[in-house]
Amino acid sequence: AVCGKPGVWTQELLLADYGVDPGRTVCVGDAASTRRLDTDIALGRALGCAATAIVLSGVTSRADLDVADPSALPTVTAEGLSDLLSSF
């Protein structure tokens, strides 16, 4: 069984045990290397979240996003959490 992001078990836990409403949820990631868009952002997409976001205050740079698979990119990019909060 896979219990990490974006595994089905994690999705079921968030939906059933925590009552997450995907339509009112933004899934935020902080690492956009090609290894990580397939975890944080993929989880948000799999859950059907209202939006997915990446913050550039971690290890991710705009250059990382420039070379990422366009189909894996988040819907929102923010410099940091405060910028992210002002986006919604």
Side-chain angles (χ1 to χ4, degrees):
V2 176
C3 61
K5 301 173 287 185
V8 173
W9 183 87
T10 303
Q11 296 171 40
E12 291 172 354
L13 176 75
L14 291 169
L15 295 172
D17 292 1
Y18 289 96
V20 170
D21 177 356
R24 296 176 43 88
T25 302
V26 177
C27 189
V28 180
D30 63 353
S33 69
T34 54
R35 300 182 328 266
R36 298 302 303 262
L37 282 175
D38 64 354
T39 57
D40 300 332
I41 303 309
L43 175 63
R45 287 177 183 230
L47 286 172
C49 289
T52 56
I54 194 97
V55 290
L56 301 178
S57 56
V59 297
T60 300
S61 70
R62 290 204 183 270
D64 294 324
L65 297 176
D66 289 342
V67 297
D69 178 353
S71 69
L73 291 173
T75 55
V76 176
T77 300
E79 292 300 320
L81 288 176
S82 61
D83 293 328
L84 179 64
L85 292 175
S86 67
S87 298
F88 293 96

